[in-house]
Structure formats: C-alpha cells, structure tokens
Amino acid sequence: MSNNRYETIYLWLVGGMLFVFAIAIAISVGGLGINMPTGSSELELEDIASATGLHQIGPNRYEVYMTVSEAGFEPKVVDVPVGAEVSFFIGSEDIIHGFKVENTTLSVVVIPGHIAEVSYTFQQVGEHQFYCHEYCGTDHHTMTGLIRVNED
Ligand code: CUA
C-alpha cells in the first residue's frame, strides 16, 4: 500500500523541519557560542557570600557578587558607573530563584550549587529594578532590588 500524496508531502516537510532545527542547534552551539549558562568554575558560594557587592577588577570593568535566598537578594541595591561592563556572579543559598533586570538582557535562573554568571554594559544613567522571576515560595513577590547607574 502506498502513501497518500499529501501524506508523503507532510512526511517530507516534517523530516525537513527536524533537519533544519538540528542544523540551527548546531550553528547556535558551534558557530554562535550560545550555551546553557555554565556559571563560574572558579567561584564557590562561600567566596560570593563573604564578599557581596561591587568589585572593580579593571578599567571600566566590575564584578558584582550577589547571594539570593528566600530572605531576598544581597545586596539589594547596586551602584554602578555608567558605561561600565558589569559581570554578576549570583549564588543561591537555598532553592531555585531567578534574577531578571528590567530593560536589560539580564535574565538568569539561579540554581543551588551552581554560580550563575551574566554580564551587561549599562549605557545610560538611570535605575533598573531587578527581581526574582522563578516562583520560589510565599515571599517570591517580595524579592526585588535596584541597580542604580550613576555618572562617573
Ligand atoms: Cu525567589 Cu521567586
């Protein structure tokens, strides 16, 4: 028994789409370097917890060590100079939380046992609220903070 003509067409379409998706994944991973957040291999939660806040690591380069728990983010307010490239290293002290900064591309899930790392260059003076965007319990809605981008 042979396939209906439309059946054959749809089978080829589906097969073709799977092929295109596989190619897209290969290009994303191999060519564009898009990966799951791998986190920092050098930092442990204890390193971050003992030195939360902003650290200057070079001209116009900063790192923010941040912890997150059901009690909230630490620090809750981060002051950064405008134009600086800032890397955030975030560790969870209890369960899965999120870190999302409004009006930026910063968005990462913070998984216990794993240091999340995201970077951003703040080009304009202003304020960005950040918050937990993974539902984490009854205090989820209280988990907010503020990044203030200041004149140099
Ligand atoms: Cu932490 Cu939602």
Side-chain angles (χ1 to χ4, degrees):
M1 194 183 86
S2 64
N3 286 337
N4 176 288
R5 185 165 148 253
Y6 291 111
E7 218 170 9
T8 307
I9 290 171
Y10 285 124
L11 282 172
W12 276 106
L13 277 175
V14 169
M17 281 166 69
L18 286 175
F19 183 72
V20 168
F21 292 153
I23 297 291
I25 289 172
I27 291 172
S28 302
V29 173
L32 304 177
I34 297 171
N35 285 304
M36 295 291 286
T38 52
S40 166
S41 52
E42 290 149 35
L43 285 169
E44 303 283 342
L45 179 62
E46 300 79 62
D47 306 325
I48 289 172
S50 62
T52 56
L54 188 75
H55 306 278
Q56 182 160 15
I57 57 164
N60 229 21
R61 284 283 290 115
Y62 294 82
E63 287 180 351
V64 174
Y65 289 2
M66 182 178 276
T67 59
V68 56
S69 69
E70 285 185 278
F73 293 96
E74 182 56 43
K76 288 181 171 54
V77 178
V78 182
D79 284 289
V80 302
V82 68
E85 187 187 342
V86 185
S87 295
F88 293 83
F89 295 88
I90 311 163
S92 170
E93 296 186 310
D94 44 32
I95 57 175
I96 293 178
H97 296 277
F99 175 73
K100 180 161 177 66
V101 184
E102 65 171 0
N103 300 323
T104 71
T105 55
L106 290 171
S107 175
V108 70
V109 173
V110 186
I111 300 165
H114 194 87
I115 304 303
E117 180 183 348
V118 281
S119 296
Y120 191 77
T121 302
F122 294 91
Q123 299 286 15
Q124 285 177 356
V125 173
E127 295 188 340
H128 300 266
Q129 199 180 42
F130 62 86
Y131 50 89
C132 176
H133 67 310
E134 283 290 317
Y135 183 73
C136 55
T138 51
D139 290 330
H140 169 69
H141 65 287
T142 67
M143 297 188 63
T144 62
L146 191 66
I147 294 171
R148 295 190 295 220
V149 186
N150 306 307
E151 295 280 3
D152 247 332

